[in-house]
Amino acid sequence: MTSATLAAPTRARTAAWLQNYGVYVAVVALVVFNVVFTENFVSAANFRTQLVQAAPVCIVALGMALVIGTEGIDLSVGSVMSIAAALIPLYLGAGPLVAVLVAVVAGIVSGLFSGVLVAYLGIQPIIATLALLVGGRGLALVVAHGQLVQLHNRDFLALGTGDVLGIPVMVLVAAVVAVLAGLLVQRTTFGRQLVAVGGNRAASTLAGLPVRRVLVGVYVISGALAALAGVLSTARLGASDPNDLGLLMELSAITAVVVGGTPLTGGRVRVLGTVFGALLMQLVHATLIKHNLPDSTAQMVQAAIIVVAVYVARERSSR
Amino acid sequence: MTAVTDPGTSRTTAPVLEVTGVSKRFPGTLALDDVSFALRPGEVHALVGENGAGKSTLIKVLTGVYQPDSGEVRHLGHTVAFRRPAEAQQAGISTIYQEVNLVPLMSIAGNVFLGREPRTRAGLVDWRRMNAEARALLADYGITDDVRRPLHTLGVGAQQMVALARAVSTDAKVVIMDEPTSSLEPREVEKLFEVLARLHAQGIAILYVSHRMDELYRVCDRVTVLRDGRVVHSGPLAELPRLELVSLMLGREIGKIREEGVTAFGEEHEVEREPVLRAEKLRGVRKLRDVSLTIRPGEVLGLAGLLGSGRSETARALVGAFPLDGGTVVVAGKPLKRGRVPAAMRAGVALLAEDRKTDGIIPNLSVRENIALAALPRLSPFGLVSKSKQDRIVRVFMERLRIKASSPDQKVAELSGGNQQKVLLARWLATGPRVLLLDEPTRGIDVGAKAEVQALIDELAREGLGVLLISSELEELVDGADRVLVLSDGAVAEELTGQDITEEKVLAAIARGGHDD
Amino acid sequence: MIALSPRNAAFAGVLQRQGAAVVLVLGVVISWFAFPRFGSADNLRDLALQSSFLAVIALGMTFVIISGGIDLSVGSVYALGGVLAAYGSRYGLVVAILLPLVVCSLIGFVNGVLIARTGMAPFIVTLASLLFARGLLLAITNEGATTYKVDAGSPFLALGQGEILGVGTPVWIALVLFALGGVLLRRTRFGQAVFALGGAEQSAVLMGLPVARTKITLYTLSGGLAGVAGLLTAAYLQSGVTVLGVGTELDAISVVVIGGTLLTGGAGTIVGTLVGVLLRTLIQNVINQVGTLDSNYQTMVSGAFLLVVVVIQRLLARRRS
Amino acid sequence: ACTSREETAAPQAAGSGPAASAASAAPASGGCTLAQTGYPKVDPKTAVIGFSQSEKEANPFRTAETQSIRDEAAKLGIPGDHLLTTNAQSDLNKQISDIKSLLDRGAQLLIVAPLNSDGLQPALDAAKAKKVPVVTIDRKVTSQPCTDYLTFIGSDFVQQGKRAAQEMARVTGGSGKVAILLGSSGNNVTTDRTQGFKDELAKTPGLSVVAEQTGDFDRSKGQSVMEQLIQSHPDLTAVYAENDEMGIGAVNALRTAGKNPGKDVKVVSVDGTRNAVQLIADGSYNAVIESNPRFGPLAFQTLQQFADGQPIPSSIVISDDSYDETNAAQKVGNSY
Ligand SMILES: Nc1ncnc2c1ncn2[C@@H]1O[C@H](COP(=O)(O)OP(=O)(O)OP(=O)(O)O)[C@@H](O)[C@H]1O
Ligand SMILES: Nc1ncnc2c1ncn2[C@@H]1O[C@H](COP(=O)(O)OP(=O)(O)OP(=O)(O)O)[C@@H](O)[C@H]1O
Ligand SMILES: [Mg+2]
Ligand SMILES: [Mg+2]
């Protein structure tokens, strides 16, 4: 065999390795960079802050990853968060549990709505959820009379600020969601069917998979997780702020998913990659703030990082 | 057609297209291993080999779809490195790739002329001329549909003819055809051969891939045999006995290959009286007109007809994958809910679809997952996937069907066409069906695998499965089926049984159906 | 299901293909009678003018979406184009036009190269350039603190504020661009390649189409048109406003889709997009004419409207097939 | 319906505080008069009046602003169908068409809350062509007063920044490290409040700005940014937030980090919303510079004066109050 044929596989292997592990490498690299160049980076409190801030994006992104796995997209997540936020104060009087349940149910209903539009009416995911993105926030504001409401229920606020065994509740919730998502994708028929539907919908239909049910299920999960993220963010904020909560969340979540190596073309879901994608974007954000870069530079740097990360993680055609 | 190449002249004429020492590696496979091969002007050169031997890969290397890892490609004596198919086409190499590669939503005429649309003096696309030219061109290939209709409204076979028309209508010096007849039916195959003869007369070099032996001997001058990515033979075809060619392809001794006839089907089956599936007056939105049929356990029911006669539509309707205006399907006494594939599947009806690329494989899933897909709920207690149960079944079927993959974890997209087909067959067998609807099951499968699949169909019927076999290869129907329904224009035109099932009678029935109305 | 008579089927076909147009005509007729001021020449002229900027952006988006792609960067690029035009206007008309055109096309070009040559998803590439263009805009405006004004006497203003036959120049420019766009899409090989790309990219490659070149051209076109919209806006507003264009990409996408272009690519029309833009403007105008709607309800109504149009279109399409 | 709110969180009614009033007596001469403009005399009490709001009424400032216009119209006995309102939903192009459509629908007087200082020229031109006087409120436009628009009524944002810096110097005792939570990038309010603050702060050498990051006028973004800053600048002693929402976000962040807002780290912001003023009263916040949204009375009064032929100054800067530990408790009712 010639040296060319030997060299090619090595390069291919490096590329394939990067494609699989690039996002972890990037997170580690960024941590190392910060440890060296950022003052006061190495502290428990700081890591805690980063994890807490990444948690809502991470939760939403996990739902988004499932949707993207079916070759869909869910633009409505930010608005669902805002609907959840709007509902919380209305039901907090009946106790935090009721309020949280109501919010999550609202998320499920939103997901059901998008899911039915996509699965049964055959409307493009991007446009079905775009309608909810536009209308959903309006709905939330109508429900809340456009008002920000300060919350005082301690038990509820503890969701945002409390700890369990020294781990912030928000981080714990995100971790549980991640583990469940991982199991769902790898170990359940639903998960495998989801990936198959994303890989080839026509073939999945002919293979007798419950394609519509899978699609609706995926949007319901995404809606529920978005609502959950909305609840947690509201608790952390100490106020229900339907006007601003979750703005542009869809883009952050999609970025986390794609940077984490899940292709937008569906047929594949990388759960751990998504978690690290969210962490990576959080760290980038933190680094830019800590180095006090102006908004202009910050946005351009983020753009560059997204491009590089996705470039490395992209699916290569075998040429 | 006879071999016209004179050995004396062919030595002096430089090859139009030539590769030397080409290797191409994919993750897990060495698809081409030091391949050297030459295509001379004016010859029809057969490229044969088992599924996965590397034929399509070689074609893709020749035409710039893939870059070889080593070795070189020469065109008219000059070393070339086509970086994309466009460059090969500019150099006068026109290719019909294995899977139909056209644009479904675009008009038929648009597809024929895509990239080289006739233009007005102002440089704008001249639609009127384009449609007129396309109409004239396609009429030669027996396609008389409105050329302004989107391509996807044609059946697969007709699409293949469009692709052929497109490839041939460029003034190419070399035409490469990767299994052009696999979705054609006898009449269309004859059309194709007429075209081939014309090209041959014009001195155009043709590289021809097919798994159908008779075709090769009819049209080809020379043959190159690939096995496991290596060239094992290259030479004039007429001198090579058929048996020896097969043995070269399969890499087995001639003695071990029993020549049993063209197909591997056995004797008649023992058929039960009570049908397992009974369809009454199926009426489709598009085509079907009151199709009724029954399938009995242990029986192979053949379905014959012209392109677009409604065979595929019938099969899809039976599994509920096709909207129906009326009709009922009863399986084992229970009527199926219309339009629900899962219900049909639960009742034990499975369809191996015609187009494996769009309706069959899930490309980015592994061989294992593709096989287990339909049986997944059964293999997964409480909706939790059990890998061991999966593996057991996957192993059984990979062995039984001799699926060639580097491992069950290989992506199914990386398999050769024939092996993909076997994976799909395995998918259905894994569900343990009562009725198997096979729409062109041996399309694009090599001789070895084809015999295996045919023997398998036989065996399945013997085990008591009801089988519906759709095939455009008459001998397959004649040898394999216990009963043949001839469809014409969406309706059952004739039913042939027992001794009546001969090629002549089936052809005659098809012809009658086609001309009656 | 009721079988459609051929005549009904043909009608449903028209509805499906021209669903948005039918809604538009109905909307206009109803508004004409319901709101006395709606049909005034001033109002109509203003509707046209107001539609023209988004129309130009949506034109580029139509090409991109037909090719099976998407361009999220247009909103930021639009704003950037406006700022660059206003900045350039102090160096004369030529600079005012060329500067935004070149820079915005360049951003589109880079999008195209990244998409065509690396196989990255258009969604994510253009999402990155959405951020990039906004960042660049902030960088050249001193974090948004500086707003470049166009001098009152500048000939550049005529592009935005001038009128020809009583109709604003931007409207004419948009119409001309749409006409050119229609020819480009329907009557050139490039246009055919765009359709082919959206319908079946792999086939397009194997059929020997210049796929990469087509994609690069597409995104360059989209960026350039967003730049044109930006410069027209700058001429109209007399300044390079920094707060423009947030969410404009979503507006553009929705009008293209309302206009009947398939988001999966491979099918679509330029006229449909024009109808989509007009429909959007009409809805805004109607909401204003009603006048009593709480602003939060307005958002809800826009979302619901988008949904209704898309669902109707989809149902009609299904009936037809 | 069947909801159950938290008892403590009763939504407050907006618009209970004092209306904006002009800071300085209008100069008698040099103002803009009806005669000068050649506009027809239109009595606001009987005219059709158009109001163009810039953003959704989903934050206290906008809610109070719109409410104040409506209340004043009602008070003057203007019939409901004579007050036309539109909302630009933060889209500048939409605001222009909104204003034009108001004119089309017969508005004879216009009150505009501009989305941006620049870019409304076409709308103003349309009003000028129809001889309709325009009063801009809360944000000044960079066009010609008296010719392009009648006058501007509102706060001086630069001044607000300066006053915030003065408060900052006072509450910190003149030394410390300050972080700035900026408003949205590209917004004139952000620019002005930053410039005023920094210019004034430079006069206190003991105070230095260690970080300035955008919080987009949004509470949760303010909170996240502040959380980051607390980690990277543990020695931070003060925060200037360019609106109350971000200030409250900062307070949240400080609390979760175990710090004592208002004491360990001083917090100063601009706006005067109920929540922020209440925090001052509770001792967790240090000062708020008011930005009064209640323009209704002053706007109508100005239009009346113009109709009466009185000269109108080119800009009417209102007097903004300020809240600090000494007055927050009494004045909390004035906040919005
Ligand atoms: N894109 C790819 N990635 C990885 N492996 C591939 C790819 N394409 C082909 N292969 C592998 O290369 C080998 C040769 O495949 P090829 O498609 O050339 O076979 P073929 O001779 O055309 O077979 P068939 O008769 O079934 O069409 C096979 O083992 C196949 O699995
Ligand atoms: N007029 C049409 N419009 C859209 N799709 C069509 C039309 N006619 C046929 N098809 C599709 O083409 C495929 C093949 O059609 P059909 O079942 O009629 O052919 P067939 O007899 O199986 O012939 P073959 O499969 O050999 O082409 C089917 O999937 C059918 O849905
Ligand atoms: Mg092949
Ligand atoms: Mg068929």
Side-chain angles (χ1 to χ4, degrees):
Chain A
M1 219 179 283
T2 63
S3 62
T5 46
L6 275 178
T10 328
R11 217 185 319 123
R13 227 175 297 139
T14 320
W17 189 85
L18 269 178
Q19 184 193 327
N20 282 320
Y21 302 103
V23 62
Y24 313 118
V25 175
V27 168
V28 171
L30 203 51
V31 169
V32 170
F33 170 89
N34 275 300
V35 167
V36 177
F37 294 105
T38 307
E39 285 173 37
N40 307 312
F41 188 78
V42 191
S43 77
N46 182 46
F47 285 118
R48 188 191 161 94
T49 300
Q50 307 314 330
L51 290 178
V52 168
Q53 288 195 8
V57 181
C58 182
I59 292 172
V60 176
L62 286 166
M64 184 72 80
L66 299 183
V67 176
I68 289 179
T70 64
E71 213 181 346
I73 204 152
D74 187 355
L75 296 184
S76 71
V77 286
S79 295
V80 171
M81 285 176 77
S82 113
I83 291 175
L87 289 172
I88 291 287
L90 301 186
Y91 291 92
L92 209 47
L97 195 64
V98 174
V100 172
L101 277 181
V102 167
V104 173
V105 166
I108 290 175
V109 171
S110 312
L112 207 57
F113 184 71
S114 317
V116 166
L117 287 179
V118 171
Y120 287 87
L121 288 178
I123 292 174
Q124 296 285 320
I126 194 172
I127 205 77
T129 55
L130 177 62
L132 198 53
L133 161 75
V134 177
R137 192 167 295 273
L139 180 68
L141 287 169
V142 168
V143 168
H145 303 290
Q147 296 281 318
L148 179 143
V149 181
Q150 202 74 39
L151 302 174
H152 304 280
N153 184 310
R154 280 172 183 284
D155 292 335
F156 180 76
L157 296 182
L159 284 177
T161 49
D163 276 8
V164 173
L165 303 173
I167 305 171
V169 176
M170 293 187 62
V171 177
L172 215 55
V173 173
V176 169
V177 169
V179 170
L180 288 180
L183 289 177
L184 181 81
V185 171
Q186 293 302 334
R187 285 297 155 81
T188 66
T189 41
F190 179 81
R192 297 328 292 164
Q193 290 175 340
L194 171 175
V195 179
V197 169
N200 186 343
R201 190 160 160 186
S204 302
T205 311
L206 283 177
L209 305 195
V211 174
R212 293 173 169 179
R213 225 165 57 209
V214 168
L215 285 176
V216 172
V218 153
Y219 285 91
V220 164
I221 294 176
S222 173
L225 288 181
L228 181 63
V231 167
L232 294 176
S233 304
T234 299
R236 194 170 80 98
L237 196 61
S240 149
D241 184 6
N243 191 31
D244 287 325
L245 191 78
L247 271 182
L248 298 185
M249 179 53 103
E250 60 283 352
L251 296 187
S252 312
I254 293 167
T255 309
V257 172
V258 177
V259 164
T262 302
L264 278 169
T265 42
R268 183 153 190 235
V269 179
R270 290 187 56 188
V271 170
L272 194 61
T274 301
V275 172
F276 272 75
L279 279 177
L280 178 66
M281 293 322 289
Q282 171 61 32
L283 278 174
V284 168
H285 184 63
T287 310
L288 295 168
I289 292 180
K290 286 174 194 289
H291 288 266
N292 203 27
L293 287 175
D295 209 14
S296 55
T297 323
Q299 298 205 20
M300 289 191 276
V301 170
Q302 280 190 36
I305 287 178
I306 291 174
V307 168
V308 171
V310 175
Y311 176 79
V312 171
R314 81 200 192 279
E315 298 265 338
R316 246 155 292 238
S317 54
S318 43
R319 289 215 152 199
Chain B
M1 202 181 299
T2 51
V4 289
T5 325
D6 175 350
T9 52
S10 70
R11 218 169 291 129
T12 52
T13 36
V16 268
L17 202 54
E18 188 180 9
V19 291
T20 41
V22 159
S23 294
K24 176 72 189 174
R25 176 184 291 282
F26 291 116
T29 4
L30 187 57
L32 295 178
D33 184 3
D34 196 20
V35 168
S36 298
F37 155 87
L39 181 67
R40 297 177 192 159
E43 70 173 351
V44 182
H45 194 131
L47 184 61
V48 298
E50 281 185 282
N51 291 132
K55 304 179 295 290
S56 300
T57 307
L58 178 59
I59 287 170
K60 289 183 176 170
V61 165
L62 282 172
T63 56
V65 179
Y66 295 149
Q67 315 303 314
D69 295 336
S70 63
E72 64 174 8
V73 180
R74 274 197 299 275
H75 176 240
L76 297 170
H78 303 286
T79 304
V80 286
F82 299 128
R83 279 167 303 160
R84 351 173 211 291
E87 293 181 4
Q89 284 179 22
Q90 274 147 25
I93 304 170
S94 183
T95 314
I96 306 170
Y97 294 93
Q98 186 167 2
E99 319 285 348
V100 178
N101 275 292
L102 296 170
V103 185
L105 286 176
M106 205 171 230
S107 74
I108 298 171
N111 268 289
V112 172
F113 286 105
L114 188 57
R116 52 194 178 86
E117 293 84 354
R119 289 188 281 202
T120 61
R121 230 170 291 134
L124 299 179
V125 172
D126 188 343
W127 280 100
R128 193 171 320 154
R129 203 171 76 187
M130 190 162 115
N131 288 336
E133 285 181 18
R135 206 171 301 124
L137 181 67
L138 288 171
D140 273 358
Y141 295 83
I143 294 174
T144 48
D145 301 71
D146 184 353
V147 294
R148 289 167 302 183
R149 258 178 35 192
L151 180 88
H152 69 90
T153 58
L154 294 182
V156 181
Q159 293 189 15
Q160 183 74 41
M161 294 309 274
V162 173
L164 180 69
R166 170 184 166 81
V168 170
S169 66
T170 62
D171 356 282
K173 293 285 160 290
V174 178
V175 175
I176 301 178
M177 303 181 180
D178 195 349
E179 302 196 28
T181 53
S182 66
S183 36
L184 298 189
E185 76 144 67
R187 219 170 51 174
E188 267 67 20
V189 172
E190 289 308 319
K191 285 252 161 53
L192 173 75
F193 288 171
E194 281 166 28
V195 175
L196 275 179
R198 212 163 60 218
L199 296 176
H200 194 265
Q202 289 165 9
I204 290 167
I206 297 166
L207 181 60
Y208 189 87
V209 178
S210 176
H211 291 295
R212 297 183 182 176
M213 291 293 143
D214 342 347
E215 284 178 6
L216 298 178
Y217 281 94
R218 260 186 77 188
V219 301
C220 297
D221 311 319
R222 291 170 63 80
V223 65
T224 294
V225 183
L226 281 179
R227 189 166 73 229
D228 293 334
R230 246 167 301 190
V231 176
V232 293
H233 176 85
S234 197
L237 181 61
E239 297 158 20
L240 193 67
R242 189 167 171 149
L243 211 52
E244 196 174 324
L245 177 61
V246 173
S247 112
L248 280 169
M249 283 167 59
L250 302 185
R252 277 175 257 154
E253 297 281 308
I254 298 180
K256 290 196 182 140
I257 300 169
R258 295 167 301 144
E259 199 178 17
E260 281 184 343
V262 249
T263 63
F265 287 112
E267 293 298 298
E268 301 271 292
H269 307 117
E270 265 184 45
V271 177
E272 285 179 33
R273 302 271 310 278
E274 203 44 44
V276 57
L277 182 146
R278 180 192 295 278
E280 298 276 358
K281 294 199 184 308
L282 300 181
R283 198 169 322 119
V285 180
R286 215 169 276 139
K287 212 169 271 170
L288 299 186
R289 297 183 292 146
D290 295 337
V291 172
S292 302
L293 56 82
T294 55
I295 303 174
R296 279 170 286 204
E299 173 188 49
V300 177
L301 172 67
L303 211 51
L306 290 177
L307 280 185
S309 57
R311 294 165 301 173
S312 300
E313 217 158 281
T314 304
R316 293 171 84 96
L318 290 179
V319 292
F322 194 81
L324 281 181
D325 279 349
T328 51
V329 179
V330 179
V331 179
K334 277 191 227 109
L336 288 188
K337 219 169 134 193
R338 217 194 280 163
R340 305 256 310 122
V341 182
M345 260 193 57
R346 271 195 302 276
V349 186
L351 166 70
L352 180 77
E354 174 176 30
D355 186 342
R356 66 170 164 265
K357 189 167 138 194
T358 59
D359 296 331
I361 59 163
I362 317 277
N364 43 1
L365 292 190
S366 63
V367 171
R368 173 194 293 113
E369 293 193 288
N370 267 285
I371 292 178
L373 191 66
L376 207 54
R378 203 161 50 76
L379 300 176
S380 318
F382 312 109
L384 297 179
V385 173
S386 152
K387 189 144 177 287
S388 58
K389 281 192 179 181
Q390 240 184 58
D391 273 340
R392 215 171 309 136
I393 234 167
V394 166
R395 208 171 321 115
V396 168
F397 285 106
M398 284 184 73
E399 267 165 33
R400 180 164 173 196
L401 303 185
R402 280 194 250 155
I403 294 172
K404 198 179 148 208
S406 59
S407 88
D409 293 315
Q410 190 176 9
K411 269 194 192 179
V412 81
E414 295 169 359
L415 296 193
S416 74
N419 279 303
Q420 293 181 358
Q421 187 77 338
K422 291 192 208 166
V423 166
L424 293 179
L425 208 48
R427 175 190 293 169
W428 295 118
L429 294 181
T431 61
R434 296 185 212 222
V435 183
L436 199 52
L437 314 175
L438 303 173
D439 196 350
E440 309 278 3
T442 59
R443 168 175 299 172
I445 289 196
D446 68 46
V447 275
K450 190 167 185 169
E452 286 165 20
V453 169
Q454 290 170 342
L456 192 74
I457 294 173
D458 220 30
E459 195 184 319
L460 292 170
R462 246 169 256 294
E463 286 169 13
L465 235 68
V467 178
L468 178 80
L469 176 64
I470 300 176
S471 176
S472 296
E473 279 182 67
L474 281 185
E475 62 264 30
E476 206 165 81
L477 284 181
V478 170
D479 288 5
D482 303 303
R483 203 152 52 92
V484 173
L485 288 185
V486 180
L487 284 190
S488 162
D489 213 7
V492 180
E494 218 158 321
E495 178 171 341
L496 302 172
T497 48
Q499 298 306 315
D500 285 346
I501 308 177
T502 63
E503 289 203 23
E504 295 73 41
K505 289 198 171 157
V506 174
L507 266 179
I510 292 176
R512 256 197 311 283
H515 296 301
D516 268 0
D517 46 0
Chain C
M1 215 180 282
I2 310 153
L4 292 175
S5 75
R7 193 133 145 251
N8 274 343
F11 178 66
V14 169
L15 266 184
Q16 188 256 320
R17 258 172 286 125
Q18 316 299 337
V22 174
V23 177
L24 179 67
V25 170
L26 282 179
V28 168
V29 170
I30 292 171
S31 311
W32 202 288
F33 289 106
F35 309 109
R37 297 282 177 174
F38 178 83
S40 76
D42 273 354
N43 192 40
L44 295 181
R45 201 181 297 141
D46 194 48
L47 286 184
L49 184 64
Q50 214 48 51
S51 305
S52 56
F53 307 107
L54 183 63
V56 173
I57 300 175
L59 176 61
M61 187 69 87
T62 311
F63 277 87
V64 171
I65 290 183
I66 290 178
S67 83
I70 200 154
D71 189 350
L72 298 182
S73 69
V74 289
S76 298
V77 171
Y78 165 58
L80 178 65
V83 169
L84 289 172
Y87 174 79
S89 71
R90 60 181 69 177
Y91 303 105
L93 181 64
V94 178
V95 180
I97 294 173
L98 281 187
L99 186 64
L101 258 185
V102 169
V103 174
C104 297
S105 302
L106 196 66
I107 292 177
F109 177 78
V110 173
N111 283 339
V113 168
L114 286 174
I115 291 163
R117 296 275 180 227
T118 70
M120 288 153 75
F123 193 98
I124 203 78
V125 169
T126 56
L127 173 60
S129 54
L130 173 156
L131 286 173
F132 181 84
R134 185 65 63 178
L136 188 61
L137 181 158
L138 290 176
I140 59 180
T141 55
N142 186 18
E143 299 304 316
T146 313
T147 301
Y148 300 106
K149 310 271 296 180
V150 181
D151 290 336
S154 168
F156 174 64
L157 290 179
L159 280 180
Q161 303 183 339
E163 286 192 352
I164 301 171
L165 303 176
V167 177
T169 320
V171 179
W172 292 108
I173 294 177
L175 284 176
V176 168
L177 288 174
F178 266 71
L180 290 177
V183 170
L184 188 65
L185 189 64
R186 280 283 156 205
R187 299 295 303 274
T188 65
R189 290 189 178 171
F190 169 76
Q192 292 301 297
V194 171
F195 277 108
L197 257 184
E201 180 166 349
Q202 193 52 37
S203 298
V205 174
L206 292 179
M207 286 165 104
L209 294 182
V211 167
R213 202 175 67 209
T214 307
K215 279 192 186 174
I216 294 171
T217 315
L218 270 175
Y219 286 92
T220 310
L221 190 71
S222 176
L225 283 172
V228 170
L231 80 88
L232 291 179
T233 307
Y236 179 53
L237 303 181
Q238 275 186 27
S239 55
V241 177
T242 51
V243 297
L244 280 180
V246 179
T248 303
E249 59 282 352
L250 295 181
D251 287 337
I253 293 168
S254 49
V255 297
V256 170
V257 172
I258 286 177
T261 296
L262 285 185
L263 257 173
T264 37
T269 62
I270 295 287
V271 176
T273 297
L274 195 56
V275 171
V277 174
L278 292 176
L279 207 45
R280 178 182 180 275
T281 315
L282 175 74
I283 295 304
Q284 274 187 2
N285 198 260
V286 166
I287 286 177
N288 278 348
Q289 301 276 355
V290 173
T292 49
L293 223 50
D294 174 315
S295 59
N296 299 325
Y297 278 100
Q298 290 182 16
T299 337
M300 228 169 73
V301 168
S302 325
F305 170 74
L306 176 60
L307 196 71
V308 167
V309 171
V310 177
V311 169
I312 289 178
Q313 242 168 22
R314 181 65 207 159
L315 290 179
L316 287 172
R318 277 231 292 219
R319 246 182 86 171
R320 206 162 75 105
S321 66
Chain D
C2 52
T3 59
S4 40
R5 287 174 181 278
E6 229 183 339
E7 292 117 49
T8 44
Q12 59 252 351
S16 50
S21 59
S24 47
S29 62
C32 191
T33 60
L34 195 61
Q36 221 171 318
T37 58
Y39 284 5
K41 175 185 165 80
V42 179
D43 182 359
K45 283 200 258 326
T46 56
V48 176
I49 297 169
F51 172 53
S52 165
Q53 178 56 285
S54 55
E55 297 169 354
K56 279 196 292 255
E57 282 94 4
N59 71 49
F61 186 91
R62 294 295 165 201
T63 315
E65 187 175 41
T66 303
Q67 198 55 49
S68 150
I69 302 281
R70 286 191 197 283
D71 288 351
E72 185 64 14
K75 207 170 112 196
L76 294 176
I78 298 171
D81 61 346
H82 275 204
L83 179 67
L84 310 174
T85 60
T86 59
N87 190 304
Q89 310 269 354
S90 306
D91 178 349
L92 185 69
N93 282 325
K94 181 168 188 306
Q95 184 157 40
I96 294 171
S97 64
D98 282 354
I99 294 172
K100 288 189 176 181
S101 95
L102 288 175
L103 291 168
D104 256 0
R105 286 158 63 201
Q108 296 158 292
L109 300 169
L110 280 176
I111 302 172
V112 174
L115 180 66
N116 197 58
S117 297
D118 299 284
L120 280 182
Q121 195 59 45
L124 299 179
D125 288 346
K128 184 159 66 171
K130 291 203 164 177
K131 295 186 182 293
V132 172
V134 179
V135 171
T136 72
I137 56 175
D138 92 57
R139 195 168 299 181
K140 197 167 182 163
V141 293
T142 54
S143 303
Q144 270 307 312
C146 197
T147 52
D148 290 333
Y149 66 100
L150 177 59
T151 182
F152 156 75
I153 306 173
S155 310
D156 180 342
F157 298 131
V158 178
Q159 194 58 37
Q160 287 173 345
K162 286 192 174 161
R163 290 174 61 201
Q166 287 158 4
E167 283 297 314
M168 186 60 88
R170 182 180 69 78
V171 299
T172 54
S175 72
K177 300 202 159 146
V178 185
I180 305 181
L181 296 177
L182 302 169
S184 313
S185 302
N187 191 313
N188 335 93
V189 180
T190 305
T191 311
D192 289 353
R193 286 185 185 161
T194 312
Q195 189 204 330
F197 183 80
K198 282 191 179 168
D199 286 355
E200 186 69 22
L201 202 73
K203 295 180 188 156
T204 317
L207 285 173
S208 61
V209 176
V210 293
E212 44 183 311
Q213 285 291 314
T214 181
D216 280 338
F217 287 132
D218 169 10
R219 186 185 290 198
S220 67
K221 293 223 182 65
Q223 183 173 343
S224 332
V225 170
M226 192 62 202
E227 283 172 351
Q228 298 289 358
L229 294 179
I230 293 169
Q231 301 299 339
S232 52
H233 300 281
D235 50 352
L236 207 64
T237 52
V239 184
Y240 163 53
E242 291 183 350
N243 78 347
D244 285 356
E245 282 298 299
M246 293 191 292
I248 296 169
V251 168
N252 283 349
L254 289 165
R255 281 200 183 127
T256 13
K259 304 217 175 196
N260 208 342
K263 313 249 167 6
D264 305 345
V265 178
K266 315 288 184 201
V267 184
V268 174
S269 68
V270 184
D271 254 359
T273 59
R274 178 70 49 95
N275 290 326
V277 176
Q278 186 59 50
L279 280 173
I280 303 182
D282 299 346
S284 321
Y285 213 93
N286 300 82
V288 170
I289 305 302
E290 190 196 41
S291 192
N292 194 335
R294 300 187 190 91
F295 298 103
L298 199 51
F300 282 96
Q301 183 192 327
T302 306
L303 286 170
Q304 185 67 58
Q305 285 168 353
F306 181 65
D308 294 345
Q310 294 176 28
I312 306 295
S314 64
S315 76
I316 303 168
V317 174
I318 61 171
S319 64
D320 287 324
D321 205 348
S322 71
Y323 303 91
D324 56 30
E325 66 282 1
T326 59
N327 63 8
Q330 306 97 279
K331 283 197 183 169
V332 73
N334 291 354
S335 58
Y336 51 92

